[in-house]
PDB file of all heavy atoms in Angstrom:
ATOM      1  N   LEU A  64     102.469  97.999 197.106  1.00 94.00           N
ATOM      2  CA  LEU A  64     102.843  98.901 195.989  1.00 94.00           C
ATOM      3  C   LEU A  64     104.059  99.560 196.216  1.00 94.00           C
ATOM      4  O   LEU A  64     104.899  99.704 195.258  1.00 94.00           O
ATOM      5  CB  LEU A  64     101.751  99.975 195.862  1.00 94.00           C
ATOM      6  CG  LEU A  64     100.332  99.481 195.340  1.00 94.00           C
ATOM      7  CD1 LEU A  64      99.304 100.497 195.448  1.00 94.00           C
ATOM      8  CD2 LEU A  64     100.406  98.856 194.002  1.00 94.00           C
ATOM      9  N   LYS A  67     106.768  97.059 195.225  1.00 96.00           N
ATOM     10  CA  LYS A  67     106.820  96.987 193.728  1.00 96.00           C
ATOM     11  C   LYS A  67     107.622  98.111 193.217  1.00 96.00           C
ATOM     12  O   LYS A  67     108.385  98.052 192.190  1.00 96.00           O
ATOM     13  CB  LYS A  67     105.443  96.905 193.087  1.00 96.00           C
ATOM     14  CG  LYS A  67     104.757  95.433 193.351  1.00 96.00           C
ATOM     15  CD  LYS A  67     103.415  95.494 192.627  1.00 96.00           C
ATOM     16  CE  LYS A  67     102.757  94.202 192.795  1.00 96.00           C
ATOM     17  NZ  LYS A  67     101.399  94.007 192.132  1.00 96.00           N
ATOM     18  N   LYS A  71     111.013  98.146 190.860  1.00 98.00           N
ATOM     19  CA  LYS A  71     111.262  98.759 189.647  1.00 98.00           C
ATOM     20  C   LYS A  71     112.363  99.624 189.622  1.00 98.00           C
ATOM     21  O   LYS A  71     113.162  99.632 188.675  1.00 98.00           O
ATOM     22  CB  LYS A  71     109.948  99.708 189.360  1.00 98.00           C
ATOM     23  CG  LYS A  71     108.619  98.873 189.065  1.00 98.00           C
ATOM     24  CD  LYS A  71     107.486  99.957 188.789  1.00 98.00           C
ATOM     25  CE  LYS A  71     106.236  99.255 188.623  1.00 98.00           C
ATOM     26  NZ  LYS A  71     105.033 100.191 188.430  1.00 98.00           N
ATOM     27  N   ILE A  98     114.124 115.558 197.492  1.00 94.00           N
ATOM     28  CA  ILE A  98     113.323 116.225 196.472  1.00 94.00           C
ATOM     29  C   ILE A  98     114.187 116.100 195.088  1.00 94.00           C
ATOM     30  O   ILE A  98     115.315 116.679 195.039  1.00 94.00           O
ATOM     31  CB  ILE A  98     113.002 117.647 196.833  1.00 94.00           C
ATOM     32  CG1 ILE A  98     112.084 117.595 198.035  1.00 94.00           C
ATOM     33  CG2 ILE A  98     112.276 118.380 195.604  1.00 94.00           C
ATOM     34  CD1 ILE A  98     111.909 118.986 198.653  1.00 94.00           C
ATOM     35  N   VAL A 113     125.337 117.443 182.337  1.00 98.00           N
ATOM     36  CA  VAL A 113     124.147 116.710 182.710  1.00 98.00           C
ATOM     37  C   VAL A 113     123.513 116.144 181.387  1.00 98.00           C
ATOM     38  O   VAL A 113     123.299 117.039 180.605  1.00 98.00           O
ATOM     39  CB  VAL A 113     123.098 117.567 183.658  1.00 98.00           C
ATOM     40  CG1 VAL A 113     121.754 116.764 183.689  1.00 98.00           C
ATOM     41  CG2 VAL A 113     123.635 117.879 184.944  1.00 98.00           C
ATOM     42  N   ILE A 114     123.057 114.906 181.413  1.00 98.00           N
ATOM     43  CA  ILE A 114     122.348 114.441 180.172  1.00 98.00           C
ATOM     44  C   ILE A 114     120.992 113.955 180.767  1.00 98.00           C
ATOM     45  O   ILE A 114     120.860 113.206 181.671  1.00 98.00           O
ATOM     46  CB  ILE A 114     123.037 113.155 179.480  1.00 98.00           C
ATOM     47  CG1 ILE A 114     124.405 113.750 179.077  1.00 98.00           C
ATOM     48  CG2 ILE A 114     122.129 112.818 178.330  1.00 98.00           C
ATOM     49  CD1 ILE A 114     125.225 112.653 178.373  1.00 98.00           C
ATOM     50  N   ARG A 125     102.127 112.736 182.053  1.00 94.00           N
ATOM     51  CA  ARG A 125     102.980 113.082 180.981  1.00 94.00           C
ATOM     52  C   ARG A 125     102.658 114.564 180.628  1.00 94.00           C
ATOM     53  O   ARG A 125     101.584 115.140 180.755  1.00 94.00           O
ATOM     54  CB  ARG A 125     102.492 112.222 179.719  1.00 94.00           C
ATOM     55  CG  ARG A 125     103.357 112.347 178.388  1.00 94.00           C
ATOM     56  CD  ARG A 125     102.724 111.522 177.477  1.00 94.00           C
ATOM     57  NE  ARG A 125     103.605 111.560 176.143  1.00 94.00           N
ATOM     58  CZ  ARG A 125     103.568 112.485 175.234  1.00 94.00           C
ATOM     59  NH1 ARG A 125     102.671 113.476 175.341  1.00 94.00           N
ATOM     60  NH2 ARG A 125     104.317 112.559 174.158  1.00 94.00           N
ATOM     61  N   TYR A 161     124.676 131.318 167.061  1.00 96.00           N
ATOM     62  CA  TYR A 161     125.297 132.498 167.513  1.00 96.00           C
ATOM     63  C   TYR A 161     124.548 133.760 167.130  1.00 96.00           C
ATOM     64  O   TYR A 161     124.326 133.958 165.915  1.00 96.00           O
ATOM     65  CB  TYR A 161     126.769 132.559 166.991  1.00 96.00           C
ATOM     66  CG  TYR A 161     127.430 133.846 167.293  1.00 96.00           C
ATOM     67  CD1 TYR A 161     127.828 134.197 168.586  1.00 96.00           C
ATOM     68  CD2 TYR A 161     127.826 134.682 166.246  1.00 96.00           C
ATOM     69  CE1 TYR A 161     128.418 135.385 168.902  1.00 96.00           C
ATOM     70  CE2 TYR A 161     128.504 135.846 166.498  1.00 96.00           C
ATOM     71  CZ  TYR A 161     128.796 136.240 167.756  1.00 96.00           C
ATOM     72  OH  TYR A 161     129.408 137.395 168.079  1.00 96.00           O
ATOM     73  N   VAL A 188     128.576 127.408 162.334  1.00 97.00           N
ATOM     74  CA  VAL A 188     127.932 128.434 163.012  1.00 97.00           C
ATOM     75  C   VAL A 188     126.873 129.082 162.347  1.00 97.00           C
ATOM     76  O   VAL A 188     127.022 129.545 161.222  1.00 97.00           O
ATOM     77  CB  VAL A 188     129.170 129.529 163.348  1.00 97.00           C
ATOM     78  CG1 VAL A 188     128.607 130.616 164.145  1.00 97.00           C
ATOM     79  CG2 VAL A 188     130.371 128.732 163.991  1.00 97.00           C
ATOM     80  N   LYS A 205     135.028 139.941 162.825  1.00 97.00           N
ATOM     81  CA  LYS A 205     136.483 139.690 162.963  1.00 97.00           C
ATOM     82  C   LYS A 205     136.811 138.823 164.167  1.00 97.00           C
ATOM     83  O   LYS A 205     137.585 137.725 164.163  1.00 97.00           O
ATOM     84  CB  LYS A 205     137.369 140.823 162.794  1.00 97.00           C
ATOM     85  CG  LYS A 205     138.794 140.579 162.880  1.00 97.00           C
ATOM     86  CD  LYS A 205     139.676 141.844 162.671  1.00 97.00           C
ATOM     87  CE  LYS A 205     141.123 141.628 162.772  1.00 97.00           C
ATOM     88  NZ  LYS A 205     141.959 142.896 162.566  1.00 97.00           N
ATOM     89  N   ASP A 271     113.304 116.870 167.151  1.00 94.00           N
ATOM     90  CA  ASP A 271     113.913 115.847 168.005  1.00 94.00           C
ATOM     91  C   ASP A 271     115.446 115.841 167.865  1.00 94.00           C
ATOM     92  O   ASP A 271     116.108 114.883 167.649  1.00 94.00           O
ATOM     93  CB  ASP A 271     113.382 114.533 167.398  1.00 94.00           C
ATOM     94  CG  ASP A 271     111.992 114.230 167.764  1.00 94.00           C
ATOM     95  OD1 ASP A 271     111.647 114.530 168.909  1.00 94.00           O
ATOM     96  OD2 ASP A 271     111.265 113.544 167.029  1.00 94.00           O
ATOM     97  N   THR A 272     115.942 117.130 168.167  1.00 95.00           N
ATOM     98  CA  THR A 272     117.408 117.270 168.059  1.00 95.00           C
ATOM     99  C   THR A 272     118.035 117.424 169.518  1.00 95.00           C
ATOM    100  O   THR A 272     117.445 118.103 170.344  1.00 95.00           O
ATOM    101  CB  THR A 272     117.600 118.635 167.359  1.00 95.00           C
ATOM    102  OG1 THR A 272     117.079 118.571 166.063  1.00 95.00           O
ATOM    103  CG2 THR A 272     119.031 118.992 167.191  1.00 95.00           C
ATOM    104  N   ALA A 277     123.740 125.912 177.731  1.00 93.00           N
ATOM    105  CA  ALA A 277     124.606 126.406 178.777  1.00 93.00           C
ATOM    106  C   ALA A 277     124.354 127.848 178.954  1.00 93.00           C
ATOM    107  O   ALA A 277     124.079 128.603 178.002  1.00 93.00           O
ATOM    108  CB  ALA A 277     126.132 126.131 178.482  1.00 93.00           C
TER     109      ALA A 277
END
Side-chain angles (χ1 to χ4, degrees):
L64 291 171
K67 287 183 179 179
K71 288 178 186 176
I98 298 171
V113 168
I114 300 178
R125 188 180 184 278
Y161 173 63
V188 181
K205 183 179 178 180
D271 284 323
T272 302

